[in-house]
Amino acid sequence: AAGVIQSPRHLIKEKRETATLKCYPIPRHDTVYWYQQGPGQDPQFLISFYEKMQSDKGSIPDRFSAQQFSDYHSELNMSSLELGDSALYFCASSPMGQGIDESGSTGELFFGEGSRLTVL
Amino acid sequence: AQKVTQAQTEISVVEKEDVTLDCVYETRDTTYYLFWYKQPPSGELVFLIRRNSFDEQNEISGRYSWNFQKSTSSFNFTITASQVVDSAVYFCALSSETTGGFKTIFGAGTRLFVKA
């Protein structure tokens, strides 16, 4: 079965540079989430999109922006990179269903393998 | 506010021992989902189990078992006869449905070391 695809898997950037991460959700999943996991930390929610509109926002820095495109893929843009941005970035997708008893809604986020960003 | 607490930061066991990872959650939602994920050294998040708030039935899958108790807001995970390959960070997560998606938060994780 198709999974969530993230690219690139590894990225090395210098301070103050810009980076873009891409995420391709599972087909027919209309919701995409971005999480940031620093070394030794738990994944922290950054932002989510439902049907190409931002649906929720977490601890995403102003230097970061994201969008979901018409084909449902999403991109996370990070500018003026700082050393502290070095982390594993996960994208996840889910289908939106009608509720707990409906087959489309399980509450589960399907995670990609992550993109590891290193800022030097 | 939602919260997931994994009080055990690190656990070290010897192979073949049983080990229980604790998870306590807080939520005001009546409908929610609980998860356990495994994160091996390679970094990916591996889905282990999902439970919804209306299903308190415990589950066993091979050497893994889960004990969901709403009365104590706990969703503990037990590995029986642990193996070296079980060494990983284990995250408990809580998810509830919001407008336009799910809000999922993670506990801080428990790092499990299984020594041969």
Side-chain angles (χ1 to χ4, degrees):
Chain A
V4 176
I5 306 296
Q6 290 189 244
S7 69
R9 293 293 311 280
H10 300 273
L11 190 60
I12 299 175
K13 290 286 186 179
E14 301 269 343
K15 278 170 53 178
R16 292 181 286 278
E17 284 191 326
T18 298
T20 298
L21 306 180
K22 297 185 179 182
C23 169
Y24 296 86
I26 292 172
R28 292 185 296 281
H29 282 195
D30 46 20
T31 310
V32 168
Y33 310 78
W34 286 97
Y35 281 79
Q36 178 192 56
Q37 185 181 24
Q41 304 294 315
D42 56 288
Q44 293 291 318
F45 171 70
L46 292 178
I47 195 167
S48 63
F49 293 88
Y50 169 60
E51 283 293 342
K52 293 153 279 185
M53 299 287 289
Q54 180 182 310
S55 54
D56 199 1
K57 197 171 180 180
S59 50
I60 184 169
D62 292 339
R63 299 176 290 107
F64 292 10
S65 64
Q67 58 181 322
Q68 186 179 30
F69 295 86
S70 57
D71 63 351
Y72 294 100
H73 94 273
S74 178
E75 294 184 6
L76 177 66
N77 298 293
M78 299 173 283
S79 61
S80 301
L81 288 170
E82 302 174 356
L83 296 178
D85 296 328
S86 295
L88 192 53
Y89 290 82
F90 286 104
C91 173
S93 71
S94 72
M96 278 304 296
Q98 300 302 313
I100 198 166
D101 294 322
E102 299 293 332
S103 60
S105 175
T106 65
E108 180 181 349
L109 302 188
F110 295 79
F111 284 90
E113 293 185 322
S115 292
R116 188 172 295 280
L117 170 67
T118 301
V119 181
L120 303 176
Chain B
Q2 291 185 307
K3 188 177 179 182
V4 177
T5 301
Q6 293 179 255
Q8 304 148 308
T9 305
E10 289 185 0
I11 300 177
S12 183
V13 298
V14 177
E15 214 172 15
K16 298 182 185 174
E17 285 186 5
D18 299 346
V19 58
T20 295
L21 309 182
D22 297 333
C23 173
V24 174
Y25 63 93
E26 294 176 30
T27 182
R28 292 181 180 175
D29 294 324
T30 54
T31 302
Y32 54 88
Y33 307 85
L34 295 163
F35 301 86
W36 275 97
Y37 289 90
K38 174 182 179 180
Q39 188 172 44
S42 50
E44 72 273 23
L45 285 169
V46 179
F47 166 79
L48 295 178
I49 191 171
R50 172 187 63 248
R51 263 289 171 268
N52 69 57
S53 51
F54 298 105
D55 180 6
E56 283 193 74
Q57 190 173 17
N58 292 326
E59 182 164 336
I60 297 175
S61 176
R63 296 183 297 106
Y64 295 169
S65 62
W66 291 270
N67 184 351
F68 176 28
Q69 292 194 345
K70 287 180 76 171
S71 60
T72 55
S73 296
S74 65
F75 186 44
N76 297 337
F77 172 31
T78 297
I79 302 175
T80 302
S82 58
Q83 299 176 1
V84 172
V85 293
D86 296 327
S87 297
V89 180
Y90 291 85
F91 290 100
C92 180
L94 168 67
S95 181
S96 59
E97 195 165 342
T98 63
T99 303
F102 293 101
K103 193 172 189 71
T104 300
I105 60 169
F106 289 81
T110 297
R111 184 177 295 276
L112 175 64
F113 295 97
V114 181
K115 296 178 284 189

